[in-house]
Amino acid sequence: MRCANGVTGLFLAGLVAGSLSTIPARAAPPAAPSTAAGSADLKSDGPTQPAKVQDGQYTDKNGDPTYHITDDGKKVDWYTMSGYLRYNANCIVCHGPDGMGSTYAPSLVDALKGMDYAHFAGIIVGGKKDVNAAQELVMPAFGDNRNVMCYMPDIYTYLRARSDGALGRNRPPEHEPKPAAFEKAEDACMK
């Protein structure tokens, strides 16, 4: 996807699931300086702080996608906003409003408290099945669904902000502009 270290995790997860053959890979952007203005611009509301920003996408010290929320939670980065939109288009049916869970599927807000991007990507690509004496929970594989795969880092970023308590339950009121790199990668992935 767009995140260099996330590409590795996604690629490995896709190999395990055997389901990336129909989704064209989105090339990671070339290496660039983290930010021209300095680390003050990376300060974010919430406990997770971005370590780098490249082409409008923020990453943490491990290279996982993360949020950039400012103005006391009123303004989010483009990827968090995109994740909000994609979550509500693809995930809300099972996981409920704002990732809080439902009687049908667990809370993703709780699940992401200890989950890195590679683990998240592996579940999205390959699915998951939890069976016990009381119930059978099945997360279908979305490895062939471009509406999920092309925006997986965005969905993770949104849910991470929700999980950290940095973003409330409503639609973010403001967002950073859509980066040109996002639009180019989106067009390439959706072909």
Side-chain angles (χ1 to χ4, degrees):
M1 302 312 266
R2 290 179 294 272
C3 181
N5 288 348
V7 171
T8 305
L10 176 58
F11 180 73
L12 293 174
L15 285 177
V16 171
S19 59
L20 284 181
S21 60
T22 61
I23 304 292
R26 288 170 73 174
S34 61
T35 181
S39 62
D41 293 329
L42 295 178
K43 179 78 173 113
S44 180
D45 296 349
T48 302
Q49 296 299 307
K52 182 180 177 182
V53 60
Q54 183 174 323
D55 296 326
Q57 185 172 37
Y58 296 83
T59 53
D60 66 13
K61 62 184 178 184
N62 298 321
D64 288 343
T66 195
Y67 53 85
H68 184 244
I69 300 174
T70 57
D71 298 336
D72 294 323
K74 294 177 187 158
K75 187 172 184 180
V76 300
D77 61 283
W78 173 257
Y79 293 89
T80 299
M81 185 66 197
S82 173
Y84 168 84
L85 297 171
R86 293 301 168 169
Y87 175 86
N88 282 288
N90 297 288
C91 312
I92 192 172
V93 173
C94 295
H95 292 283
D98 309 308
M100 297 299 292
S102 69
T103 57
Y104 187 69
S107 166
L108 296 177
V109 169
D110 293 336
L112 256 70
K113 289 191 186 303
M115 188 181 300
D116 65 8
Y117 181 67
H119 187 197
F120 176 82
I123 293 170
I124 301 300
V125 171
K128 183 177 178 181
K129 189 173 186 176
D130 290 331
V131 180
N132 62 41
Q135 62 185 352
E136 181 176 342
L137 299 173
V138 178
M139 164 78 180
F142 284 92
D144 292 333
N145 185 331
R146 283 182 172 86
N147 287 313
V148 174
M149 296 303 295
C150 292
Y151 304 97
M152 191 166 24
D154 311 12
I155 296 168
Y156 177 82
T157 300
Y158 164 69
L159 290 170
R160 187 175 193 185
R162 291 279 303 121
S163 179
D164 280 358
L167 187 62
R169 295 191 68 178
N170 297 319
R171 179 185 176 107
E174 295 180 48
H175 58 79
E176 294 174 1
K178 180 192 287 188
F182 177 93
E183 197 164 331
K184 185 177 179 182
E186 180 180 45
D187 288 347
C189 187
M190 293 302 280
K191 286 185 180 179

